[in-house]
Amino acid sequence: MQSLTRLLSTTLSLHTLPRMAAVGGALQQLRGKTKVVEKPKPGAGQQFRRTVHFPEEYTVEPLKITHLAGRDPVSGRLVAKGIGGGLKQQYRWVKWVRDGPTDGAQEELVLEVIRDGCRTAKVALVAVGDELKYILATENMKAGDILKTSRLIPRIPVRPNEGDAYPLGALPVGTRIHCLEKNPGQTCHLIHAAGTFGTILRKFDDKVVVQLPSKREFAFQRTCMATVGRLSNPDHNKEHVGSAQRMRELGNRPRSGLWKRKEGKHGRKIRRLPPMTTISPPAPPKEEAIKLTLPL
């Protein structure tokens, strides 16, 4: 038994000898060099599908796109699977802020309603004075329509038309809306998908309760801007792909394995909706620490 142990130790020392180096009269094992790469996790609002190169000033010209194919733009490592290829698309910069006067309403003319390959809903080219901009088109919007935008909250709710933008406090109960502000002054980043809409349910104090497409209810401030109407392309979720080639043209790679309805990680889970949530104002900026550089 002792001879077997001696033989194994001799053999192990012979194998590890080429990997040793003399440092200060002692042997030190050399290990392979590895590069530690921190790559983000999929989700958290990132698609890893494309990167849009935005210029410094707003423009209605189509913007250049860099396709990521599911890879992290910093490290180049694969983060999200099932993304890659697809037809080349043109990105049109949508202006998410619908700003209007506080003592009246400004009129906007719809010049054209076009389809954008980078989003599900259609976009409309709108002229306001000497300015051109893109907005999300509603279900029945067409070229030649006149839209109104105002920040005035009258005593009696207004009678809006499709595409008009008003504060939540100026719209009657039961109005369908989209492009909703989360807080006054922020960009309209709620309810953007094709065919979706939110509904004004009730009002209390200075809050307005809106039911989002997810059937959840949120209480927003009455000064938050919203656009009236349902978004265009309502049959988007009913489109039939029909072939594997069509799926590749949409930028989706073949998947491996199918999801299970009643079990597993990707199964269907039916849960009760959470209660109404009140939108709180954004947190104030943190105060910078004062550094004393005078030597004492």
Side-chain angles (χ1 to χ4, degrees):
M1 186 65 181
Q2 295 179 355
S3 60
L4 180 60
T5 305
R6 191 181 306 109
L7 178 62
L8 290 177
S9 61
T10 306
T11 308
L12 183 61
S13 61
L14 291 177
H15 281 290
T16 57
L17 188 60
R19 297 176 177 266
M20 298 291 182
V23 178
L27 293 179
Q28 182 181 10
Q29 185 177 2
L30 297 179
R31 298 180 179 180
K33 295 182 179 180
T34 58
K35 182 179 179 182
V36 179
V37 178
E38 295 183 359
K39 62 179 184 179
K41 295 182 179 180
Q46 291 181 307
Q47 291 186 344
F48 299 100
R49 188 174 291 271
R50 64 179 66 90
T51 297
V52 183
H53 303 284
F54 292 96
E56 296 181 358
E57 296 182 358
Y58 179 81
T59 178
V60 294
E61 297 293 332
L63 304 183
K64 295 183 179 180
I65 300 175
T66 299
H67 291 275
L68 298 179
R71 295 184 177 272
D72 179 26
V74 178
S75 62
R77 299 297 181 92
L78 185 63
V79 177
K81 297 182 179 180
I83 301 176
L87 298 177
K88 294 184 178 180
Q89 307 291 348
Q90 291 183 337
Y91 187 90
R92 290 169 177 84
W93 194 353
V94 174
K95 200 165 187 178
W96 298 113
V97 179
R98 292 287 297 271
D99 197 6
T102 56
D103 55 351
Q106 70 177 10
E107 293 185 350
E108 305 174 359
L109 176 63
V110 179
L111 301 179
E112 186 182 7
V113 177
I114 56 181
R115 187 160 188 163
D116 188 6
C118 296
R119 65 186 77 250
T120 56
K122 297 180 181 179
V123 296
L125 181 62
V126 177
V128 185
D130 56 351
E131 179 189 4
L132 295 177
K133 64 179 181 180
Y134 283 113
I135 64 172
L136 294 185
T138 57
E139 186 176 9
N140 300 316
M141 186 179 293
K142 60 183 182 300
D145 291 349
I146 302 296
L147 311 180
K148 293 183 180 180
T149 304
S150 175
R151 287 188 176 271
L152 176 65
I153 302 180
R155 184 176 59 89
I156 302 176
V158 299
R159 291 185 178 180
N161 298 321
E162 265 196 21
D164 295 348
Y166 288 97
L168 291 177
L171 299 175
V173 175
T175 305
R176 290 184 174 184
I177 58 173
H178 65 275
C179 286
L180 174 62
E181 289 180 350
K182 190 174 182 179
N183 287 294
Q186 294 183 352
T187 56
C188 305
H189 62 276
L190 292 177
I191 315 178
H192 289 170
T196 58
F197 61 90
T199 308
I200 298 178
L201 298 182
R202 59 187 179 275
K203 302 178 182 181
F204 67 95
D205 298 336
D206 60 342
K207 301 286 186 178
V208 179
V209 180
V210 178
Q211 186 184 44
L212 299 185
S214 61
K215 305 304 180 184
R216 289 192 60 179
E217 298 178 4
F218 291 89
F220 298 89
Q221 296 187 26
R222 61 196 302 262
T223 55
C224 292
M225 293 290 292
T227 308
V228 180
R230 183 184 184 185
L231 282 167
S232 55
N233 196 13
D235 297 331
H236 170 72
N237 60 345
K238 300 177 183 178
E239 291 182 359
H240 183 59
V241 176
S243 65
Q245 179 62 28
R246 172 61 178 164
M247 186 65 75
R248 298 307 301 268
E249 292 175 356
L250 295 176
N252 302 322
R253 299 181 61 193
R255 59 180 181 172
S256 60
L258 299 177
W259 66 281
K260 297 183 180 180
R261 181 177 297 273
K262 296 183 180 180
E263 60 182 13
K265 179 180 177 182
H266 305 288
R268 182 184 180 187
K269 303 173 182 63
I270 301 177
R271 300 185 179 93
R272 184 181 301 175
L273 291 175
M276 183 192 69
T277 306
T278 301
I279 298 297
S280 58
K286 296 183 179 179
E287 297 182 357
E288 297 182 358
I290 300 177
K291 296 182 180 180
L292 302 178
T293 60
L294 181 62
L296 298 178

